[in-house]
Amino acid sequence: IGSKYEVTLERTKEDKPIKKMSVFGSVKMEDVLNNRLEKPLDRRSFGKFCKKLFCEDQLEFVLTIMLFKEVRPTGVQYREAVASIRDQYIEPGSCREANISSVLRRKQLRGIKRTLEEGKDDMEIFDQTYREIFNLLKWNVFHKFEKETVLYKCVVDARSSMLWCCYRAQTPNCMAFFSVPEPTNVAHYRLYRLVASILGSVALALYYLHEEKHMAYYCLFANFLGLLLRSICGPRLDPFSVLVILVLEPIVRTFNILETKFVSNKARRWGEAMSCVWTLGTIVGVW
């Protein structure tokens, strides 16, 4: 921008093929442009894709305006930046002429001329042109990049899975009924472990401190049953899921005790099954 900054895309002779990335949820072009995602959904990969479609100049304009708003030049630097952007992208026949309508181009040139004559530092001077090119990139380029790069995976939500009678779309068939939530809510996972630890501690205390040892077996069996049901069909039939998802999680979220984040955990069913086997072994061992 002006004499201090310049946005350019790396131009290589030969690009490696883009591999697909499994994604839960949705990918936004804003995240790609701000370089918040990893390869192959980073800004450089998107730039290489734009180069293949001969529209890298449009991407360079969008990135230039983003940098212009981030730097927020003033005074002489502002006038140099605006004049440089005008000469490179707005003027007819410029080296990186933006793909915009003739009406918008004339309007943009008049606005730039008026702003430079008045000496104002208007940071929104390019907003209309930016929106038009941004939408052009989004609908004509980014969706193709998304289709080639992203492999969307179905999100199995824990709350709607637990209330499967109300959310029938989550369980359209028997196979879906026996699925586990993916990605895993870390807060749910830790709360399940907290409940299991409390039940185990209560069972241990009852076994050694209470004469009626059958109460300890009830606690261990309840823990075993919850683990078994979660390993088979997730939270759909597990009574502890009602406690964790409808009671404990809202409390945790209200007081900001645990950070709610999601991770892909393909081995969760195996982990629940191993915990179930270990609990069963404990029951048999103390019988």
Side-chain angles (χ1 to χ4, degrees):
I1 298 179
S3 58
K4 289 189 69 176
Y5 301 95
E6 183 180 0
V7 175
T8 57
L9 297 177
E10 181 181 345
R11 302 171 190 272
T12 57
K13 295 181 179 179
E14 192 172 329
D15 297 330
K16 296 181 179 179
I18 298 176
K19 296 181 179 179
K20 285 196 173 186
M21 174 182 285
S22 297
V23 173
F24 294 101
S26 60
V27 176
K28 296 181 179 179
M29 193 170 93
E30 291 87 342
D31 293 333
V32 174
L33 294 180
N34 286 294
N35 213 27
R36 296 173 185 153
L37 305 176
E38 298 178 356
K39 288 184 178 181
L41 296 175
D42 61 322
R43 183 166 53 204
R44 178 168 295 181
S45 299
F46 183 55
K48 292 178 180 179
F49 186 82
C50 290
K51 180 192 170 187
K52 289 197 302 184
L53 299 183
F54 303 101
C55 57
E56 65 269 28
D57 293 340
Q58 313 305 317
L59 176 60
E60 288 178 4
F61 174 79
V62 170
L63 294 176
T64 299
I65 301 303
M66 289 173 61
L67 184 59
F68 174 75
K69 287 180 170 292
E70 181 181 344
V71 175
R72 302 186 70 84
T74 57
V76 177
Q77 289 185 350
Y78 173 83
R79 290 191 290 274
E80 288 180 356
V82 171
S84 178
I85 295 172
R86 177 199 61 196
D87 296 340
Q88 291 187 61
Y89 299 102
I90 309 299
E91 288 284 1
S94 55
C95 59
R96 299 172 181 173
E97 184 178 350
N99 185 15
I100 56 177
S101 64
S102 58
V103 176
L104 178 58
R105 190 182 304 278
R106 289 194 296 269
K107 182 179 179 181
Q108 181 69 85
L109 288 172
R110 287 197 300 269
I112 293 172
K113 182 179 180 181
R114 183 172 60 254
T115 301
L116 294 179
E117 289 176 351
E118 294 175 355
K120 295 181 180 179
D121 296 345
D122 183 9
M123 300 307 301
E124 299 178 355
I125 186 172
F126 295 108
D127 280 6
Q128 192 171 354
T129 305
Y130 172 84
R131 283 194 298 270
E132 181 166 322
I133 296 181
F134 182 91
N135 291 330
L136 189 69
L137 272 177
K138 182 176 181 180
W139 298 111
N140 293 350
V141 181
F142 181 73
H143 284 329
K144 296 178 182 178
F145 173 74
E146 185 181 26
K147 186 176 180 181
E148 182 174 317
T149 311
V150 179
L151 178 63
Y152 284 110
K153 298 183 71 175
C154 179
V155 176
V156 182
D157 179 56
R159 180 181 293 270
S160 56
S161 297
M162 183 195 65
L163 302 173
W164 58 276
C165 293
C166 303
Y167 297 91
R168 297 300 298 274
Q170 285 280 354
T171 54
N173 50 51
C174 292
M175 184 176 294
F177 184 84
F178 292 102
S179 61
V180 296
E182 180 70 10
T184 298
N185 188 326
V186 175
H188 288 174
Y189 186 81
R190 291 179 176 176
L191 289 172
Y192 280 128
R193 292 293 168 263
L194 175 63
V195 172
S197 300
I198 292 174
L199 281 173
S201 301
V202 170
L204 186 64
L206 289 173
Y207 185 80
Y208 286 104
L209 302 177
H210 203 276
E211 294 182 357
E212 298 180 359
K213 299 186 184 299
H214 65 276
M215 296 297 296
Y217 295 120
Y218 289 157
C219 291
L220 287 173
F221 182 76
N223 198 5
F224 164 77
L225 183 63
L227 290 167
L228 178 64
L229 291 173
R230 285 199 300 275
S231 65
I232 294 174
C233 56
R236 293 177 180 84
L237 299 178
D238 174 31
F240 294 116
S241 296
V242 179
L243 174 65
V244 169
I245 297 175
L246 297 184
V247 180
L248 296 181
E249 189 211 1
I251 295 174
V252 166
R253 197 187 308 120
T254 300
F255 293 99
N256 199 23
I257 300 172
L258 289 176
E259 181 183 2
T260 301
K261 61 180 181 180
F262 296 85
V263 296
S264 180
N265 188 3
K266 297 180 180 179
R268 179 177 177 179
R269 190 193 297 270
W270 175 255
E272 299 281 9
M274 289 298 98
S275 299
C276 179
V277 171
W278 184 88
T279 306
L280 180 61
T282 304
I283 296 174
V284 173
V286 299
W287 185 261

